[in-house]
Amino acid sequence: MTAYLIADIKVKDPKWIPDYAATVHDLVHKHGGKYLARSGNVKTLEGKPLDTTLIALMAFPSEAAARAFTNDPAYAPFVAARQGGSDSRFQLIDNTDLAGTISYLPKA
């Protein structure tokens, strides 16, 4: 079942970004994932705006693959750099439909 990782990041010190941006996508691919978006063009259409600098959306073939990426020892120094230079929140969702009314999505 497809799993989506949503990274919501507020950059406080941008020094970590060049190395992270140049390298981490290879680790995502190593675990079967791909970026669907990695953008600082964040616009709030409804509700109170988040204090966000960028949002990345990644798709993985499974929750296990997404967790393998986030737990990969090769990723650890990038996690430390990102966490040291930002406020970050990573969320994992699957591709199910909680209400069960969308025919092309698995029912939750």
Side-chain angles (χ1 to χ4, degrees), residues 31-93:
H31 295 284
K34 67 177 182 176
Y35 278 90
L36 303 179
R38 185 170 69 180
S39 178
N41 189 15
V42 179
K43 296 180 175 89
T44 300
L45 299 180
E46 183 177 321
K48 181 180 176 187
L50 298 174
D51 195 13
T52 299
T53 308
L54 67 95
I55 295 177
L57 175 61
M58 293 156 269
F60 288 87
S62 66
E63 179 178 341
R67 289 184 183 276
F69 158 66
T70 59
N71 295 323
D72 188 322
Y75 183 46
F78 297 100
V79 172
R82 176 180 43 78
Q83 289 176 343
S86 73
D87 293 328
S88 318
R89 179 177 52 214
F90 276 34
Q91 298 183 80
L92 188 66
I93 62 171

Side-chain angles (χ1 to χ4, degrees), residues 9-32:
I9 299 169
K10 177 186 177 188
V11 176
K12 298 187 298 184
D13 180 353
K15 292 177 191 169
W16 61 274
I17 294 174
D19 195 32
Y20 191 100
T23 307
V24 170
H25 68 277
D26 288 335
L27 293 171
V28 170
H29 296 163
K30 172 183 169 184
H31 295 284

